[in-house]
Amino acid sequence: MSSEKLLNEMPVVLSAVMDPLDFRSIMMMRKVCHDFRVFIDKVAPSSSKTKILLTVRPYDVELILEDSETEVRYDKILLNHQSLKSFTLQYESRYESEELKCWFEILFDGIIRERTWYKRIPGTEDNFLVMIPHYASEFIMQSKMSSEKSLNEMPGVVLSAVMDHLDFRSILRMRKVCHDLRNFIDEVVPSSYMTRIIVTVRPYDVELILEDSKTGARYTTIYAHRNAQSGRSGCRSIRGFTAISLEFLRHLIEVLLNNQSLKFFSLEYETYYESEELKSWFEILFDGNRPHNSHHQIWYSIIPGSERNFLEMEAVHTITMVKCSQTHFG
Amino acid sequence: MAPKKNSAKRPQPSTPKPSAPARIVKVQSSDGHILQADVRALLLSSTLAATIKGYDDENKPLEKLEVNNVVGFTLKLVLEWCEKHKEDDPAIAQAEKDKKNIFIPSWDRHFLTKLPMGNLFDLITAAYHLDITGLINYGCKTVANSAKGKSTEEMRELFGIPEPWEQPSTSTATWDD
């Protein structure tokens, strides 16, 4: 030999030598000397394996190491390798136990959500080891933390598709979840939205019927008055409205106008509500009125944003509000 | 006319025919993970199908497809779903697009419901970016099923949305409006 220089003193050459080597040879080389080991652990050779599959069975444990470049499999263990991105552990279902959960609590830093476990990768700020018990018999690990995306961050088309599968009551509940969802539901009215509201105001309770004519679904809710003794099933403590008031009527008109699919609104009320007080509220709420017959009048308002469409209200024993066009208005 | 098999239970995809050898392509995620997939599975994505067609039309060798808006873990799930459904007729998914009552086959139900909600959202978003109609259908239906019958508080917990007083707000409206 012309020179006494050793391979471990030539990092560039060492790297070039490593490149064509298969995984098993690299593993053998890693055991040659301390310098090789440090080099291999630090500068991951391109032929290194990228996936570990470990199957734990009652009678044995199978370990498969996958090299994505050469597709060679070896039954040897590799740890501390930079190129390793995922780890899959298949296990018998009897291992899905409280004991396993305790081990995870010891091994990982915490739980992100539900069944996801994470551990910060030492030396990095935003890289995490994430473990998700995906199937009943599988774990997946990867080097990047999964996003904590929430429903309101989904694209509008996706959100709309989710809403399409929900019943009306669930949509109403979802509307209360956050501002984003409320705005979305109010602006992009899902197809399953209701087309008819019937409110019956009685001295002891308020009955609310919501109808979805498309699906034929009909939802009835009875709101008992605050002080009433409620012995009926389905009764709930009333919130928001206890009887007809100016604010109550204003709120209902707002509901009717804000919902594109809702065309009709009927409010039944006890006769004692037919009063001057009610008339004065109509004067505040509507743009004007016209005589319908000798007994009563029709109140109307222009629907904001559409000059030709009107909101009409007929009040006899039932207050009925409808959206109609100028031709109907006559 | 739509195929009649769409009406009730979807047929489970059959095993690939041995006569048709699988054409394997590498797919790279936004964070550099390289995965392998059968081209037939990738064709379920309209976006990837257009890219593959472009390569085929120009007779260029297709070595690697880059998916820049999907991370490795989510891409792995997408490819797993596509691999399972690569024998499916794309017309079935299109026909189910506007249907309210979609039947989710047991494999898909198991696959989707076992995922944490955050990962399910990632998967649906990825399916949206890659335009995989069947996965969007099943994903959205799974999210809707998990929300059905839940109270507002339970939905917040399920979807990882903070309580009202923790949410940034510009409105003075109450939550019961």
Side-chain angles (χ1 to χ4, degrees), chain A residues 7-239:
Chain A
L7 186 62
N8 56 348
E9 292 167 9
M10 299 181 286
V12 178
V13 177
L14 195 55
S15 183
V17 168
M18 294 284 177
D19 275 350
L21 284 182
D22 62 53
F23 171 65
R24 175 159 282 181
S25 303
I26 290 173
M27 280 294 94
M28 298 301 283
M29 192 171 257
R30 192 174 171 272
K31 289 182 182 175
V32 169
C33 70
H34 185 74
D35 286 347
F36 277 12
R37 187 168 133 175
V38 170
F39 178 82
I40 290 168
D41 287 350
K42 219 173 182 181
V43 184
S46 59
S47 63
S48 187
K49 60 115 227 15
T50 54
K51 195 173 176 182
I52 293 177
L53 292 168
L54 180 66
T55 307
V56 182
R57 291 184 290 254
Y59 46 90
D60 63 7
V61 177
E62 184 188 27
L63 178 67
I64 299 167
L65 304 174
E66 264 188 29
D67 185 327
S68 68
E69 294 293 319
T70 60
E71 295 186 22
V72 182
R73 292 183 171 194
Y74 299 98
D75 294 356
K76 286 278 179 186
I77 294 174
L78 176 73
L79 293 174
N80 291 336
H81 223 279
Q82 289 174 16
S83 64
L84 180 66
K85 301 291 182 194
S86 72
F87 183 99
T88 305
L89 168 65
Q90 292 178 334
Y91 64 102
E92 298 289 319
S93 58
R94 66 193 176 86
Y95 284 94
E96 198 179 30
S97 61
E98 281 300 312
E99 189 184 9
L100 207 60
K101 204 180 157 194
C102 290
W103 296 343
F104 296 158
E105 280 170 5
I106 296 166
L107 292 168
F108 290 88
D109 295 339
I111 306 165
I112 297 172
R113 214 182 300 145
E114 292 185 12
R115 299 178 298 274
T116 309
W117 300 79
Y118 73 95
K119 190 176 182 69
R120 191 177 291 277
I121 295 173
T124 62
E125 279 301 308
D126 41 330
N127 281 341
F128 288 82
L129 182 68
V130 178
M131 188 196 67
I132 302 157
H134 178 38
Y135 294 109
S137 63
E138 192 176 353
F139 289 84
I140 297 164
M141 290 190 187
Q142 66 155 32
S143 59
K144 284 280 180 191
M145 189 169 164
S146 67
S147 73
E148 291 192 53
K149 189 170 260 180
S150 59
L151 185 69
N152 52 345
E153 293 165 36
M154 301 284 277
V157 179
V158 174
L159 208 48
S160 188
V162 171
M163 299 288 175
D164 280 348
H165 295 294
L166 284 177
D167 58 65
F168 173 64
R169 180 154 283 180
S170 298
I171 289 174
L172 280 196
R173 283 185 183 145
M174 192 165 270
R175 193 177 168 274
K176 290 183 183 178
V177 167
C178 67
H179 287 281
D180 291 339
L181 286 176
R182 186 170 71 173
N183 292 340
F184 179 83
I185 290 169
D186 286 351
E187 281 171 27
V188 185
V189 181
S191 59
S192 62
Y193 223 47
M194 83 289 186
T195 52
R196 194 175 159 112
I197 293 178
I198 297 169
V199 185
T200 307
V201 180
R202 294 183 289 252
Y204 48 90
D205 63 11
V206 177
E207 186 184 34
L208 177 67
I209 299 170
L210 306 170
E211 276 186 13
D212 184 335
S213 67
K214 192 174 181 182
T215 60
R218 189 182 167 102
Y219 307 94
T220 305
T221 309
I222 295 170
Y223 297 89
H225 283 187
R226 276 199 185 91
N227 299 325
Q229 288 288 325
S230 165
R232 304 158 65 159
S233 61
C235 281
R236 289 194 293 176
S237 170
I238 191 163
R239 296 177 67 191

Side-chain angles (χ1 to χ4, degrees), chain B residues 32-89:
Chain B
H33 285 65
I34 296 176
L35 303 160
Q36 291 187 328
D38 187 343
V39 166
R40 284 178 301 170
L42 298 179
L43 290 178
L44 288 172
S45 156
S46 306
T47 314
L48 294 180
T51 312
I52 293 167
K53 191 174 179 296
Y55 274 94
D56 290 349
D57 288 348
E58 293 174 22
N59 283 325
K60 276 165 57 181
L62 178 57
E63 288 178 357
K64 192 167 71 180
L65 279 170
E66 289 186 14
V67 182
N68 295 325
N69 42 14
V70 182
V71 295
F73 176 68
T74 310
L75 187 62
K76 184 181 181 293
L77 293 174
V78 171
L79 296 181
E80 201 174 336
W81 187 90
C82 289
E83 180 64 27
K84 186 73 185 172
H85 290 270
K86 65 184 178 186
E87 302 291 319
D88 286 10
D89 183 357

